[in-house]
Amino acid sequence: MKKFYFFNCMLAMMFAGALSLSSCGDDNSGTEDPDVPDQPITPDKPSEENAMSPTDQKERMDNIARAFMSMTPASDFKNYADLINYVDETYNEYDYDWDNVSSWARNSWEAIRKATGNKTTKEYGDYGSIVYTEYTALALASNFTGHFRANNGTWVKESSKANDLQFTFTDQNAQTCVLKLETSGNVKKVYVANFDEWQDDEWEPDTYRWYEYYNRTKCTIGVPENIVLTLTQNGTQIVKTTVKIDIASLSGENFDVSKDNITASAVIEMSNGYEFRLSQAAYSGNQKASASYSMSKNGTKLATVSIAGDISGIPSCNVEAFSKGDFDFDDYNTDNATAKNALVKIDILGKLQLQGVVKDVRKYSEYMDKAYDNETDENRFKQWVNSANELTQINLFYDNTSVKQAEMKLESFADSDWGGYTYWEMEPVLVFFDGSSNSMFDVFFNDTDFKQTINAFEDLIDRYENLIH
């Protein structure tokens, strides 16, 4: 168990995003989230009066991009970055003593492991065998509670009767910070993985075989209804992550991706006014999947990305299979796995909306592969590209209207000549109301028209990178 593990994980959850293996319900008490896509917008053709020219649209996109960047400066996150840098430099596992945390974690783990008394032998070669001693473990949040305080170079355990997990430390300004993880509500058991831990090996001269001995622990976790992770600085909350869990959607201990359901939502609230929200991330085995992720600042929604689709053909596979060292997708029949009516919606500042629908994701992928398989045959290449285009409808809108100002398609073009053959490529193009089209990367978003915006974006990225040194 890494000494820095718990602390780093908790901070990562704070600052990296709403990441959760749990399922959860939204604050709307059963109401539909408007950001989660249901049906695509029915596009209206623009009239000659309200149709925007390519030049007008370049200017509009340029202004939107600049507005977005001006609202999300790297300086907004400097205080958080300074704290992260200080924590990484001061409380890392090399410069700070984590032995008490490691002992607590090991003791907590051993307390929930129960030996079944069974030993199984698995043949793995002509001259060797693996012998497993089997255990079971039920990991509940209540098994991993305690209060730790950073004190003169070491973490000191302050309480053994705590009902949450806390780390108290000081920041670069000698202010007291508390990182706290709490859970509440009912709990649902879900089997997630087998953990193998090597113990020993020995040579048996009578049988001329090597024997390797492992402990194998079948681990089941208790998924709680609510998870709250908070970070306070000098008594003021600076980050709060809340995950709500609809455990009723978990039908049994062995979660099968082909038939079981999971619903997820989470929100990260920061004291600088930013909020990152994952709304109604729902999965229903071989039926439907959807999610919506949004970013807002001081109540103004900056960006939203939403997806939905009808899924089918997913083979039976329990979650624990993904943790196996020999897991291989080829062991499962995924020939019919696909998503149909896959919908993606992107909204920037409520000023620009991009909506895409792929009627059949598997067929779309197959058509693309077949096009590249025929990259020296112009007719066949174009045929497969056109077939892929027939499965898609990707439209561009502005200001939340239903007026389609451009449509995205794939276009074929001769890329190079080599060895007496002409090789064909494809690239996305924007098709406008007047029938004209621009290559998205070579013509529309070119380095000349968007030079200042591209430079500003690169500078913004550099500033964010420089925050974490």
Side-chain angles (χ1 to χ4, degrees):
M1 180 79 62
K2 293 235 183 225
K3 299 173 184 177
F4 209 27
Y5 177 77
F6 289 98
F7 200 63
N8 267 344
C9 281
M10 292 168 73
L11 280 175
M13 287 177 68
M14 284 290 188
F15 295 109
L19 302 178
S20 172
L21 297 179
S22 307
S23 64
C24 49
D26 193 68
D27 293 328
N28 294 335
S29 303
T31 60
E32 294 295 325
D33 191 314
D35 290 329
V36 177
D38 181 20
Q39 297 294 329
I41 300 171
T42 301
D44 297 323
K45 291 184 178 181
S47 64
E48 292 187 9
E49 290 76 22
N50 61 17
M52 296 176 63
S53 69
T55 301
D56 291 339
Q57 294 194 57
K58 285 180 181 180
E59 183 178 358
R60 175 70 69 90
M61 291 186 189
D62 190 56
N63 290 335
I64 293 171
R66 288 171 178 271
F68 182 87
M69 288 187 289
S70 69
M71 296 179 70
T72 56
S75 57
D76 282 354
F77 297 91
K78 185 179 185 306
N79 292 338
Y80 301 96
D82 289 344
L83 177 58
I84 292 174
N85 289 328
Y86 179 78
V87 167
D88 185 60
E89 293 169 358
T90 306
Y91 300 104
N92 64 75
E93 60 182 313
Y94 303 106
D95 298 322
Y96 219 79
D97 185 353
W98 285 76
D99 286 352
N100 289 329
V101 179
S102 297
S103 297
W104 160 81
R106 171 59 64 181
N107 292 337
S108 299
W109 174 248
E110 292 297 336
I112 65 174
R113 291 174 75 234
K114 297 180 181 180
T116 63
N118 297 328
K119 288 188 176 181
T120 60
T121 301
K122 178 181 179 181
E123 302 290 336
Y124 75 97
D126 294 336
Y127 302 101
S129 297
I130 298 179
V131 180
Y132 295 99
T133 300
E134 297 187 344
Y135 293 80
T136 60
L138 173 59
L140 304 172
S142 58
N143 300 130
F144 297 90
T145 58
H147 290 182
F148 295 88
R149 181 178 293 273
N151 185 22
N152 295 324
T154 187
W155 286 100
V156 177
K157 193 170 188 295
E158 293 187 316
S159 173
S160 58
K161 297 182 179 180
N163 58 6
D164 55 28
L165 179 60
Q166 288 189 26
F167 291 89
T168 302
F169 58 98
T170 56
D171 64 12
Q172 67 273 21
N173 299 314
Q175 297 180 113
T176 299
C177 299
V178 180
L179 184 62
K180 180 168 65 173
L181 177 66
E182 302 172 278
T183 64
S184 62
N186 294 323
V187 173
K188 187 66 173 288
K189 298 177 184 178
V190 177
Y191 172 43
V192 292
N194 283 341
F195 296 106
D196 294 339
E197 185 178 14
W198 181 85
Q199 298 297 305
D200 197 5
D201 59 46
E202 65 178 19
W203 173 256
E204 176 54 60
D206 293 338
T207 59
Y208 293 97
R209 301 183 69 83
W210 276 101
Y211 288 86
E212 290 194 75
Y213 295 90
Y214 287 82
N215 287 340
R216 167 166 286 178
T217 303
K218 177 181 178 181
C219 184
T220 300
I221 64 171
V223 180
E225 284 186 302
N226 305 292
I227 300 173
V228 178
L229 183 61
T230 57
L231 177 62
T232 59
Q233 187 178 46
N234 197 29
T236 300
Q237 178 179 289
I238 62 172
V239 188
K240 180 180 181 181
T241 300
T242 304
V243 179
K244 293 189 175 183
I245 302 170
D246 176 17
I247 60 176
S249 66
L250 298 171
S251 56
E253 286 192 20
N254 289 297
F255 187 92
D256 189 328
V257 297
S258 70
K259 62 183 180 181
D260 290 324
N261 307 325
I262 189 168
T263 309
S265 65
V267 60
I268 296 178
E269 302 164 276
M270 306 184 74
S271 58
N272 60 358
Y274 284 86
E275 180 182 284
F276 304 89
R277 181 177 293 272
L278 176 68
S279 303
Q280 294 292 353
Y283 171 86
S284 181
N286 280 315
Q287 295 184 55
K288 206 169 189 66
S290 65
S292 182
Y293 182 81
S294 65
M295 172 185 180
S296 61
K297 179 181 179 181
N298 296 325
T300 298
K301 193 163 289 187
L302 303 177
T304 302
V305 179
S306 304
I307 60 174
D310 303 318
I311 55 176
S312 62
I314 306 297
S316 178
C317 180
N318 290 327
V319 169
E320 59 89 14
F322 297 106
S323 68
K324 294 181 179 178
D326 58 353
F327 174 78
D328 189 343
F329 272 113
D330 292 337
D331 295 335
Y332 299 87
N333 182 8
T334 59
D335 291 344
N336 297 317
T338 190
K340 294 186 178 181
N341 304 314
L343 173 63
V344 177
K345 290 182 180 179
I346 300 173
D347 180 282
I348 307 297
L349 296 176
K351 298 180 178 181
L352 182 150
Q353 294 78 39
L354 183 68
Q355 175 188 278
V357 179
V358 181
K359 296 177 183 178
D360 190 312
V361 173
R362 187 177 195 88
K363 285 185 178 180
Y364 183 83
S365 178
E366 290 175 351
Y367 294 163
M368 298 280 279
D369 289 341
K370 288 179 178 179
Y372 281 113
D373 288 342
N374 292 275
E375 60 183 346
T376 60
D377 188 319
E378 178 181 358
N379 290 332
R380 289 186 177 180
F381 184 88
K382 289 182 175 180
Q383 173 191 345
W384 290 117
V385 169
N386 291 336
S387 295
N389 279 330
E390 290 175 359
L391 290 175
T392 66
Q393 186 180 40
I394 305 173
N395 298 317
L396 181 64
F397 308 89
Y398 296 99
D399 300 325
N400 282 310
T401 69
S402 60
V403 178
K404 178 179 70 174
Q405 293 292 350
E407 184 176 0
M408 188 186 301
K409 291 288 185 181
L410 293 173
E411 189 170 280
S412 304
F413 68 96
D415 184 40
S416 61
D417 292 303
W418 185 81
Y421 293 97
T422 299
Y423 288 83
W424 288 83
E425 260 288 357
M426 68 183 82
E427 67 178 21
V429 299
L430 287 175
V431 182
F432 302 99
F433 172 73
D434 60 4
S436 65
S437 64
N438 281 178
S439 165
M440 286 187 62
F441 304 115
D442 294 334
V443 179
F444 193 82
F445 294 109
N446 62 75
D447 292 340
T448 300
D449 294 338
F450 286 88
K451 181 178 180 179
Q452 291 184 342
T453 300
I454 292 172
N455 290 340
F457 177 75
E458 292 176 347
D459 180 66
L460 181 66
I461 295 299
D462 289 340
R463 291 176 183 271
Y464 271 98
E465 289 179 346
N466 290 334
L467 288 177
I468 306 296
H469 53 73

